[in-house]
Amino acid sequence: MASERPRHLMRNATIWVNRLSQIGQASEIGFPELKRKTEEVFNAGMEVPIDVAMGYEKIENSFKMTGFDPEILKLFGLSIGTETEYMATAANVDDDGTTHSMVAYFRGMITEVNPDHHKRGDKTELEYKMSFRYYKLEIDGQPIYEIDPFEVKIGGVSQTAGIRRAMLVG
């Protein structure tokens, strides 16, 4: 029987950028919003239109840093075809004290660097926005999502295998 107490509450997180730990440097770490791409269908004989799944929206994300780290700043605008690896890790804790590991792997590029305006006496942050070609989320080592432009797995199970077989590519 499942506990009625709160579970998997994110208590803390950090990010690695290009395999370099940024613990204590990131002030905000985003996890991507996942969204299905749908089209409304209202064909002959139907009384009510329905949404039909057509794939998934582009995977984007962001994080904020409180320092102007030159190594991260230089990752913006790299040559075409260059991708950077990111990994976000989090400690999710149940109300009974049980701790869970959450790890998100990303591969893609920084698309925007947005520095705050500097005001003396206040911290200044830089927001990095990213677009990904690969995303994988694991909780306690178990796969939750794994997404690239050609394959989507949920809980380790391919959601696109039948379509790929029909196209003779999988």
Side-chain angles (χ1 to χ4, degrees), residues 49-138:
I50 60 170
D51 283 337
V52 175
M54 300 298 290
Y56 301 86
E57 298 286 340
K58 180 172 56 170
I59 302 171
E60 299 176 304
N61 197 11
S62 66
F63 65 95
K64 290 184 179 180
M65 304 287 285
T66 53
F68 284 71
D69 186 328
E71 296 307 310
I72 297 176
L73 288 166
K74 289 189 274 186
L75 295 174
F76 172 77
L78 293 176
S79 62
I80 293 172
T82 303
E83 294 181 340
T84 303
E85 293 179 3
Y86 304 86
M87 182 174 69
T89 58
N92 295 349
V93 182
D94 298 347
D95 195 48
D96 68 4
T98 304
T99 302
H100 305 276
S101 172
M102 186 166 85
V103 181
Y105 304 92
F106 308 97
R107 191 173 60 247
M109 65 181 162
I110 292 177
T111 57
E112 294 181 40
V113 178
N114 299 319
D116 287 347
H117 294 279
H118 174 69
K119 181 178 176 188
R120 189 180 145 314
D122 291 345
K123 75 176 177 181
T124 301
E125 296 180 319
L126 283 93
E127 179 179 28
Y128 294 90
K129 293 186 179 180
M130 302 163 291
S131 175
F132 296 108
R133 294 190 179 181
Y134 178 80
Y135 170 52
K136 182 177 184 179
L137 177 66
E138 295 177 344

